Amino acid sequence: MKGSLVAAVLLIAIVVQGYWAAGWLGASFKAPGAEARSAEGVPIFVEDNGIHTGIVLPKALLTRRLAARFKPADLADPRYGRHEWLAVGWGDRAFYIGTPTWADLSLSTVAAAAMGSDSTVLHVEHVPAPRQGGSVRRLFLRPDQAARLVAFIDASLGDGAPLRGYGGWDVFYPARGRYSAIRTCNAWTGEALKAAGVPMGRWTPFSGTVMWWL
């Protein structure tokens, strides 16, 4: 019995290490379609909380449909809706809602998410203008690139009622797309940036693999 347990633990460790190595290897290759980085244009930000990455963009960029969906009335405290920026991320509903920080992470949540889920959400925060530095990186997009980014976010938004977030400033919305160990919340961030032409790795399953390119 003891030998079987040790073997199982070793197997899990090998799988985890292999997944970690594959993720960084996949991120080391630049995805096709990358466009030259600009030193001016529409500012956006990418933030990393150690687990999830999110894209922070001005509300002025939103389509009419997104502006109507991401309304302050959905917030626990609508006063946060006065802020002119949104932070947007995508992921598995149970994983995202249940793990705001590393301290909230559980093995069962990770295992369930890795198996795959069609229950996904967009996490939307109404925030003030970010400041670049540390885990927050600033990018500049041309208007056409910004439009492609917003179109990607729009295409990720599903139907249904919003769910209250971690605090008064944020909310979750039903999303489209299947979450798995291959398409993680950070892979979605990478896909969104690639849709805008931002240089990014082919596969970015971890927050670090996204930020590595920025």
Side-chain angles (χ1 to χ4, degrees), residues 4-174:
S4 299
L5 179 60
V6 171
V9 170
L10 288 175
L11 179 60
I12 292 173
I14 292 170
V15 170
V16 170
Q17 289 180 351
Y19 177 66
W20 184 260
W24 282 98
L25 179 62
S28 67
F29 295 97
K30 183 187 290 188
E35 301 170 14
R37 291 278 292 271
S38 177
E40 57 183 15
V42 179
I44 68 163
F45 295 81
V46 180
E47 59 181 9
D48 171 19
N49 72 356
I51 298 180
H52 308 290
T53 49
I55 297 170
V56 190
L57 69 163
K59 290 181 179 180
L61 293 179
L62 297 181
T63 62
R64 183 175 298 179
R65 162 181 145 87
L66 285 183
R69 288 293 305 276
F70 297 159
K71 55 186 184 295
D74 293 336
L75 298 169
D77 186 345
R79 291 176 296 178
Y80 284 98
R82 299 171 184 168
H83 292 314
E84 297 181 355
W85 292 72
L86 290 180
V88 184
W90 173 94
D92 171 65
R93 173 173 171 169
F95 190 99
Y96 224 141
I97 293 177
T99 58
T101 68
W102 279 112
D104 301 294
L105 190 65
S106 69
L107 183 59
S108 60
T109 300
V110 172
M115 292 296 291
S117 169
D118 291 315
S119 179
T120 53
V121 292
L122 281 178
H123 183 219
V124 177
E125 302 171 78
H126 293 246
V127 296
R131 293 185 177 181
Q132 179 177 229
S135 60
V136 179
R137 310 286 171 80
R138 184 179 61 189
L139 307 172
F140 291 101
L141 303 181
R142 299 191 311 270
D144 63 300
Q145 291 178 309
R148 298 202 303 268
L149 175 65
V150 172
F152 184 92
I153 295 172
D154 196 329
S156 299
L157 179 62
D159 299 317
L163 304 165
R164 288 294 167 87
Y166 303 137
W169 63 90
D170 68 319
V171 63
F172 291 95
Y173 295 92

Side-chain angles (χ1 to χ4, degrees), residues 21-31 200-205 209 212-213:
W24 282 98
L25 179 62
S28 67
F29 295 97
K30 183 187 290 188
M200 187 58 47
R202 285 181 176 268
W203 181 40
T204 56
T209 57
W212 188 27
W213 283 89

Side-chain angles (χ1 to χ4, degrees), residues 189-201:
T189 301
E191 291 172 10
L193 295 172
K194 284 183 283 189
V198 176
M200 187 58 47

